[in-house]
Amino acid sequence: MKVTCYASGVIGTSWATNFAIKGCEVTVFDLTEELLTQAKRGIIANLEELAHRGCLSAEQAEPIADRIRFTTDARSAVAGAEFIQESGPERLEVKRELVRFFDQYAPPECIVASSTSGLRISDITAQSARPERYIGAHPFNPPHLIPLVEITKGDRTAPEAIERAVGFYRSVGKEPIVLQKEKIGFVANRLSHAVLR
């Protein structure tokens, strides 16, 4: 499976670690080489910690890291991708700009999952030419350790996209739950905020 992690912050780096451990060919995109250097360090640190805890051997860690490539070329990052995990800034205007880019350059059959922690997919894809392939996929931090991922669908998301996403996440060790209604904050964040209040 060819997976692109679009944006390499804490969540994107953790997703990349998870996908590579499970055998995916991973491309990590970000805007600058400095950000990608930080991502490389983060992934190596994740793998070293897993080895330290006895979850991986040192011999296993090296080929995992070799399955990840890094690029600042946005078009090449999404070319040939079968699944895109977008982890850009949690701002609606940024997410919409990314959707415009994916609409134009990502393969038509590619599923695009936003790691949004609260925005509605219907809002993110309101101007999309291909809204049927977009889902929300809210992970729990760090995604390479915590299996739960909340999947949300927009009002124009295709049922097939949800089925494919659920199958993919299960194949990489996740425990996906599909929300039947779009609510800001999804389930877990709404519950945790209620508990905190």
Side-chain angles (χ1 to χ4, degrees):
M1 187 77 164
K2 293 183 178 179
V3 181
T4 296
C5 291
Y6 202 93
S8 68
V10 172
I11 298 296
T13 297
S14 185
W15 272 125
T17 304
N18 186 120
F19 298 146
I21 286 171
K22 295 300 183 178
C24 298
E25 295 296 323
V26 182
T27 298
V28 177
F29 165 82
D30 220 316
L31 296 171
T32 68
E33 290 294 343
E34 182 180 0
L35 290 170
L36 292 178
T37 298
Q38 292 173 11
K40 290 175 192 175
R41 289 184 188 134
I43 290 167
I44 295 301
N46 290 340
L47 295 174
E48 287 176 348
E49 178 65 18
L50 289 169
H52 175 71
R53 301 277 179 188
C55 301
L56 293 172
S57 67
E59 293 76 24
Q60 290 172 312
E62 186 174 338
I64 289 168
D66 289 344
R67 283 196 284 273
I68 306 172
R69 77 176 186 95
F70 300 84
T71 184
T72 57
D73 183 335
R75 291 188 194 182
S76 77
V78 300
E82 297 171 80
F83 195 95
I84 296 172
Q85 188 72 54
E86 174 269 308
S87 302
E90 187 74 353
R91 294 196 304 274
L92 183 59
E93 65 276 11
V94 173
K95 300 285 191 189
R96 284 181 172 172
E97 184 62 35
L98 291 175
V99 165
R100 283 190 284 274
F101 173 79
F102 297 140
D103 279 357
Q104 187 168 0
Y105 297 108
E109 66 281 2
C110 177
I111 299 294
V112 182
S114 177
S115 297
T116 178
S117 59
L119 297 173
R120 297 171 69 245
I121 293 302
S122 293
D123 295 334
I124 292 171
T125 62
Q127 301 158 358
S128 173
R130 299 180 181 273
E132 68 281 353
R133 66 174 172 170
Y134 290 88
I135 66 162
H138 174 228
F140 286 76
N141 195 17
H144 70 284
L145 296 180
I146 301 176
L148 182 61
V149 56
E150 294 180 299
I151 295 180
T152 60
K153 50 192 172 183
D155 53 18
R156 296 185 291 166
T157 300
E160 181 196 6
I162 297 294
E163 290 173 17
R164 287 176 56 201
V166 167
F168 169 68
Y169 283 124
R170 286 185 178 147
S171 77
V172 294
K174 307 306 284 181
E175 291 288 343
I177 60 168
V178 179
L179 280 60
Q180 299 305 311
K181 290 184 179 180
E182 281 194 288
K183 293 288 185 183
I184 293 173
F186 310 143
V187 173
N189 282 348
R190 290 166 71 89
L191 285 172
S192 62
H193 283 269
V195 170
L196 288 171
R197 283 195 300 272

